[in-house]
Amino acid sequence: MNQVSQHILAPFTSLRVISVGSLSFPSSFTISNSNSNSNSNSNSPPFLLRYFSVRAMASHVVGYPRMGPKRELKFALESFWDGKSSAEDLQNVAAELRSSIWKQMSDAGIKFIPSNTFSCYDQVLDTTAMLGAVPPRYGWNGGEIGFDVYFSMARGNASVPAMEMTKWFDTNYHYIVPELGPEVNFSYASHKAVIEYKEAKALGVDTVPVLVGPVSYLLLSKPAKGVEKSFSLLSLIDKILPVYQEVVAELKAAGATWIQFDEPKLVMDLGAHELQAFTHAYSALEASLSGLNVLIETYFADVPVEAYKTLISLKCVTGFGFDLVRGTKTLDLIKGGFPSGKYLFAGVVDGRNIWANDLASSLSVLHALEGIVGKDKLVVSTSCSLLHTAVDLVNEPKLDKEIKSWLAFAAQKVVEVNALAKALSGQKDGAFFSANAAAQASRKSSPRVTNEAVQQAAAALKGSDHRRATNVSDRLDAQQKKLNLPILPTTTIGSFPQTLELRRVRREYKAKKVSEEDYVEAIKKEINKVVKLQEELDIDVLVHGEPERNDMVEYFGEQLSGFAFTANGWVQSYGSRCVKPPIIYGDVSRPKAMTVFWSSLAQSMTKRPMKGMLTGPVTILNWSFVRNDQPRFETCYQIALAIKDEVEDLEKAGITVIQIDEAALREGLPLRKSEHAFYLNWAVHSFRITNCGVEDSTQIHTHMCYSNFNDIIHSIIDMDADVITIENSRSDEKLLSVFREGVKYGAGIGPGVYDIHSPRIPSEEEIADRVEKMLAVLECNILWVNPDCGLKTRKYAEVKPALSNMVAAAKRLRTKFASSQ
């Protein structure tokens, strides 16, 4: 392997040894290595092979994290994008990661091991490539789709913008939204699924190839630009099925015996026409699927009654996968009737959180299901892909031992799946189950989990809706008198580029290699640089750039009680972007001020308004691994009280503009409409709690990231923020349609004028054109001009010209207004 790949993969061997945190192996366990799929050259210690190689009751994993235990894929991608390594280097790293994941599951005794769940960006984008559904602007002329076209669709390039990116259901993962219409000519243009199946087979691992199901793919798409918004995406089903048939034929020829179709849209509220599309699609595929075992996998919620009936009536399907963690009501449907002779893939191991499975409880559920579907038809599975959890506890040597005993990352969840499968087959490991029971009991009784004062304060919130006393129109007048801003005021969302030098300083301070005095001086210098740059660009409301922050959630969690942190608990958000969610294990409170020092310092460097920058309670909740021993809203109210203390301290320190980001508010919206109102009520209430005590002249901003907001616009208005900045540019101004339809919005609003997730630099004319489209539906006295999101991931060479063009566009339009008046 070349030098670049060796450097990136140096720490990767941890994937081949499965850690189970504090859970111990029985010393007398001596079953021999009989795993026919296991590579005899595995580097795993012999006792691990003896333990994990047992082929017990059937076990299955829906999917696995792609980034690697030390973010190897992230660094390989960014090296390739920066031109520092080749496509071959990137392919080598990806192949090493896939190989290690497959071997890990094989060594663990997993029977149904997935392939084609690995992606260099996103599994929906992989499906778009497979179908040859490349928008014309990328200049693809046929043939196998390579990295150039693939990454242009994901990230844009110098001449054309990227495709829209939005949240994957109610997770913090983002997918690339397909752009479809009646003129799209679908063709088999990426053989990735077959290539990776053969790759695993050559390693001695027989896998289950996974495809995004044809109906979910279409329902996750949008009409392309220029196509009527009313266009029925499902009308394309007969055009994409021939490509699926080609893929299936190749997989069968390669030796595949099972195939998994992910159809997560089945958990949504679907109409009869949409459910009929599932019946039609799988009937049309029936002949092609003959001779294959077919699994349809659902996840993230209960399957509604009508969807369940549709699903189990599909004739060509061998097995059905259900999320029995977030979809407990599905159990009642299964008990009410499950098709004879079919496999049930029971998702009892949580793929969305990091708490150790309550093995005794899960085993009880499985025994009940065994009586319904039969012992030979029950498969123990994860609730969804483990993509949404951290990789391996073995990489957390400094994590508190008691808390660590309560946890299970992806590698440990693989072990839990197999342990449950073995127990069902009569090979229950008493020591493993006993250690798990002890950890469960420890968590329930630990005094570090409960703080009576916090619980009482949160309980007392129920008597008020915590609204500010004055309406937003009057508040904006009071704020304008103090701030004296021009029309179309410019600002940014918060963060500025985090350079290698800046990251080094933070890393060395954390490792106690530099003094606090030197650290403060370095951060002060960085803040001063960011302030001066914004003044030179003539931005109206400034930010300090957040150089002291590693992550917008982790930074606050580190200063709040009830949180724990990992060294390598990274989870993919999109592309190469990873986040390291904090772990909320107990009651939350704020011991001391968190941001006042830095915000006050930044304000002292300028006469312009300096925003205080906070992360809101709903976003902290939704971007953390949250305790599962109390309702989520109770934890959110506790966080809201902590942020409220910080808001009021900032105001006392003279900060007159305070931004409370709720980037993830929409993300937490339940998938079923019947549950929306309850969530939105406590989520919006939590935000209002944070700022209900400030003066009218203190301007409260909030920010929201990529998502579909139109269906919750009234809840956004109900947040009662003075100014909201919100993603808009990458979604073809979809947000603006809600205002065209007559929704009245009286607060300040800044729909993003350019996409910061792409390296592309927008022109002044392009930004001015976007703002003029906004002015067609929004009053100029409430409109703000700002990027889509924070600038942390961009380079200064991109940020400076983009912001310069943004300010120039705002000034051009101000001049136009002045002359017209």
Side-chain angles (χ1 to χ4, degrees):
M1 189 182 299
N2 58 58
Q3 190 173 4
V4 171
S5 297
Q6 287 174 339
H7 170 73
I8 294 171
L9 287 167
F12 197 72
T13 54
S14 63
L15 258 182
R16 299 184 182 177
V17 179
I18 300 176
S19 160
V20 291
S22 66
L23 302 181
S24 57
F25 294 100
S27 57
S28 60
F29 204 90
T30 57
I31 294 177
S32 62
N33 179 8
S34 59
N35 180 357
S36 62
N37 281 354
S38 178
N39 189 321
S40 60
N41 295 321
S42 170
N43 292 330
S44 300
F47 82 94
L48 283 178
L49 286 177
R50 288 197 300 273
Y51 185 82
F52 291 130
S53 296
V54 178
R55 287 289 187 192
M57 197 107 178
S59 51
H60 169 248
V61 173
V62 178
Y64 201 82
R66 307 156 179 162
M67 283 291 127
K70 299 287 181 67
R71 295 180 293 164
E72 292 81 359
L73 182 60
K74 168 189 173 66
F75 300 125
L77 283 167
E78 291 173 0
S79 175
F80 173 68
W81 293 336
D82 288 344
K84 296 176 182 176
S85 57
S86 67
E88 183 182 2
D89 294 330
L90 175 55
Q91 289 163 345
N92 287 341
V93 173
E96 286 280 353
L97 286 163
R98 289 193 296 269
S99 167
S100 295
I101 292 167
W102 292 326
K103 288 178 182 177
Q104 173 200 359
M105 291 195 211
S106 181
D107 289 349
I110 301 298
K111 180 177 180 181
F112 297 102
I113 298 170
S115 61
N116 197 41
T117 56
F118 186 93
S119 176
C120 282
Y121 207 95
D122 163 52
Q123 72 271 13
V124 179
L125 182 62
D126 292 346
T127 310
T128 295
M130 180 186 84
L131 294 169
V134 180
R137 66 181 177 274
Y138 298 108
W140 177 65
N141 295 313
E144 188 80 3
I145 291 174
F147 280 160
D148 53 347
V149 172
Y150 180 83
F151 288 130
S152 289
M153 289 192 287
R155 307 176 71 237
N157 57 42
S159 58
V160 292
M163 295 168 69
E164 181 185 352
M165 179 169 67
T166 198
K167 296 293 176 74
W168 176 247
F169 294 84
D170 59 347
T171 75
N172 187 32
Y173 179 78
H174 302 67
Y175 76 96
I176 303 297
V177 182
E179 302 173 10
L180 305 179
E183 305 304 318
V184 176
N185 293 314
F186 298 98
S187 63
Y188 188 10
S190 171
H191 293 65
K192 176 179 177 292
V194 178
I195 291 168
E196 291 184 12
Y197 173 78
K198 291 179 177 178
E199 192 178 301
K201 194 171 183 180
L203 295 168
V205 182
D206 189 20
T207 61
V208 179
V210 179
L211 301 176
V212 174
V215 184
S216 288
Y217 176 79
L218 291 177
L219 293 176
L220 289 164
S221 303
K222 70 173 186 178
K225 199 166 186 177
V227 175
E228 289 293 326
K229 299 303 179 187
S230 59
F231 173 72
S232 171
L233 293 161
L234 288 176
S235 68
L236 299 173
I237 191 71
D238 289 327
K239 291 187 176 182
I240 69 170
L241 289 178
V243 179
Y244 276 89
Q245 289 167 338
E246 287 187 71
V247 178
V248 168
E250 282 198 8
L251 287 169
K252 284 170 68 174
T257 56
W258 278 84
I259 186 168
Q260 174 179 320
F261 291 99
D262 281 5
E263 292 283 11
K265 272 288 185 174
L266 278 164
V267 306
M268 305 293 283
D269 296 306
L270 302 179
H273 172 64
E274 293 159 319
L275 291 175
Q276 175 58 31
F278 286 94
T279 302
H280 172 76
Y282 287 94
S283 295
L285 288 171
E286 189 171 349
S288 300
L289 293 169
S290 177
L292 277 174
N293 293 295
V294 177
L295 165 64
I296 292 188
E297 186 66 49
T298 67
Y299 36 77
F300 298 152
D302 293 297
V303 176
V305 174
E306 293 305 315
Y308 181 79
K309 291 177 183 176
T310 298
L311 179 57
I312 63 173
S313 68
L314 300 178
K315 294 179 182 178
C316 64
V317 180
T318 316
F320 307 95
F322 299 108
D323 183 337
L324 301 182
V325 176
R326 291 184 173 234
T328 52
K329 293 178 184 176
T330 304
L331 281 170
D332 295 330
L333 296 177
I334 295 169
K335 291 172 183 176
F338 189 79
S340 176
K342 302 291 186 177
Y343 286 85
L344 171 60
F345 286 68
V348 295
V349 174
D350 193 353
R352 293 278 297 272
N353 217 324
I354 43 65
W355 303 108
N357 188 274
D358 185 338
L359 296 178
S361 176
S362 293
L363 191 58
S364 176
V365 171
L366 291 166
H367 278 310
L369 292 171
E370 192 177 51
I372 298 168
V373 305
K375 178 173 285 194
D376 63 332
K377 298 298 181 183
L378 183 60
V379 181
V380 182
S381 183
T382 56
S383 66
C384 61
S385 173
L386 299 177
L387 174 72
H388 309 289
T389 190
V391 179
D392 197 340
L393 271 174
V394 77
N395 297 311
E396 304 299 335
K398 295 182 180 179
L399 190 60
D400 178 275
K401 288 185 179 179
E402 182 183 29
I403 294 174
K404 190 173 182 179
S405 74
W406 304 340
L407 307 180
F409 289 0
Q412 288 69 51
K413 290 177 186 292
V414 171
V415 175
E416 290 176 337
V417 168
N418 194 54
L420 288 165
K422 285 178 57 203
L424 274 177
S425 68
Q427 301 177 63
K428 181 178 179 180
D429 177 0
F432 190 80
F433 272 69
S434 294
N436 175 268
Q440 298 291 325
S442 161
R443 185 175 167 216
K444 288 177 182 176
S445 62
S446 176
R448 67 203 302 177
V449 171
T450 305
N451 182 323
E452 290 296 336
V454 170
Q455 293 201 347
Q456 290 173 10
L461 293 170
K462 296 173 183 175
S464 169
D465 64 2
H466 298 90
R467 293 182 183 276
R468 292 171 78 178
T470 312
N471 67 50
V472 69
S473 177
D474 290 341
R475 296 199 309 264
L476 289 173
D477 287 343
Q479 292 155 15
Q480 180 60 12
K481 287 176 184 176
K482 178 180 282 191
L483 300 173
N484 192 30
L485 297 172
I487 62 166
L488 305 179
T490 54
T491 190
T492 65
I493 303 306
S495 61
F496 265 65
Q498 299 238 334
T499 62
L500 291 174
E501 175 62 18
L502 181 57
R503 293 175 191 272
R504 181 193 64 77
V505 168
R506 278 207 315 264
R507 187 171 58 249
E508 291 186 353
Y509 175 63
K510 196 169 186 177
K512 296 182 169 57
K513 293 181 180 179
V514 299
S515 68
E516 183 171 3
E517 183 180 351
D518 288 343
Y519 170 73
V520 169
E521 187 58 34
I523 298 299
K524 182 178 178 181
K525 185 184 294 185
E526 184 70 20
I527 292 173
N528 189 59
K529 180 180 81 173
V530 169
V531 170
K532 296 304 179 193
L533 172 60
Q534 292 172 92
E535 288 184 327
E536 289 169 9
L537 292 168
D538 206 14
I539 292 173
D540 300 302
V541 176
L542 311 190
V543 298
H544 76 289
E546 304 176 13
E548 78 284 10
R549 304 185 189 184
N550 44 12
D551 174 84
M552 64 182 289
V553 173
E554 184 176 13
Y555 176 78
F556 290 94
E558 285 175 340
Q559 300 180 78
L560 295 169
S561 64
F563 283 75
F565 300 89
T566 62
N568 291 289
W570 298 100
V571 179
Q572 185 183 15
S573 178
Y574 65 88
S576 68
R577 169 75 169 149
C578 299
V579 294
K580 190 149 57 72
I583 298 166
I584 305 177
Y585 67 84
D587 291 334
V588 177
S589 62
R590 186 197 73 145
K592 61 181 182 179
M594 300 179 286
T595 66
V596 175
F597 173 78
W598 297 116
S599 291
S600 300
L601 178 68
Q603 183 63 80
S604 72
M605 296 176 179
T606 182
K607 293 180 179 179
R608 301 185 186 212
M610 175 63 63
K611 283 197 279 192
M613 299 300 304
L614 304 175
T615 302
V618 184
T619 296
I620 290 176
L621 183 88
N622 285 335
W623 285 356
S624 296
F625 291 125
V626 183
R627 57 190 294 190
N628 58 0
D629 59 346
Q630 70 177 18
R632 287 172 71 87
F633 70 84
E634 291 186 14
T635 302
C636 198
Y637 284 157
Q638 293 177 0
I639 302 169
L641 286 171
I643 299 301
K644 180 177 186 289
D645 290 343
E646 188 71 14
V647 168
E648 291 172 3
D649 280 351
L650 282 167
E651 185 181 51
K652 289 173 187 173
I655 303 300
T656 56
V657 181
I658 301 172
Q659 181 169 308
I660 308 166
D661 284 347
E662 283 297 12
L665 187 138
R666 174 62 171 78
E667 174 184 311
L669 192 69
L671 299 178
R672 307 291 288 282
K673 291 177 183 176
S674 60
E675 300 169 14
H676 285 190
F678 178 71
Y679 166 78
L680 289 169
N681 181 59
W682 64 254
V684 170
H685 186 192
S686 295
F687 177 82
R688 289 201 306 262
I689 288 167
T690 66
N691 61 87
C692 62
V694 300
E695 299 291 333
D696 287 354
S697 57
T698 297
Q699 191 168 83
I700 299 296
H701 289 224
T702 191
H703 169 68
M704 294 186 178
C705 288
Y706 290 107
S707 206
N708 296 313
F709 298 109
N710 294 25
D711 56 346
I712 64 164
I713 190 66
H714 294 290
S715 294
I716 292 174
I717 293 170
D718 198 38
M719 291 170 72
D720 200 26
D722 297 311
V723 178
I724 180 170
T725 54
I726 198 163
E727 182 277 327
N728 171 68
S729 68
R730 194 161 177 171
S731 59
D732 296 326
E733 289 85 29
K734 185 163 50 181
L735 172 70
L736 300 184
S737 65
V738 76
F739 301 112
R740 294 189 189 100
E741 292 161 9
V743 171
K744 300 300 181 185
Y745 192 76
I749 184 168
V753 298
Y754 79 90
D755 175 22
I756 66 88
H757 293 88
S758 170
R760 182 173 169 272
I761 298 166
S763 67
E764 177 185 332
E765 292 73 18
E766 180 182 333
I767 294 173
D769 180 61
R770 285 189 185 277
V771 176
E772 296 217 65
K773 287 180 181 176
M774 297 171 193
L775 288 167
V777 292
L778 294 166
E779 297 294 330
C780 64
N781 63 327
I782 66 168
L783 187 62
W784 286 62
V785 178
N786 48 264
D788 262 345
C789 205
L791 305 170
K792 177 180 178 179
T793 60
R794 299 270 55 90
K795 296 177 174 63
Y796 273 105
E798 300 158 351
V799 166
K800 290 178 183 178
L803 290 180
S804 178
N805 290 345
M806 183 187 82
V807 173
K811 288 182 176 180
R812 177 201 291 191
L813 292 171
R814 288 174 197 160
T815 302
K816 181 177 178 180
F817 279 124
S819 61
S820 66
Q821 293 172 359

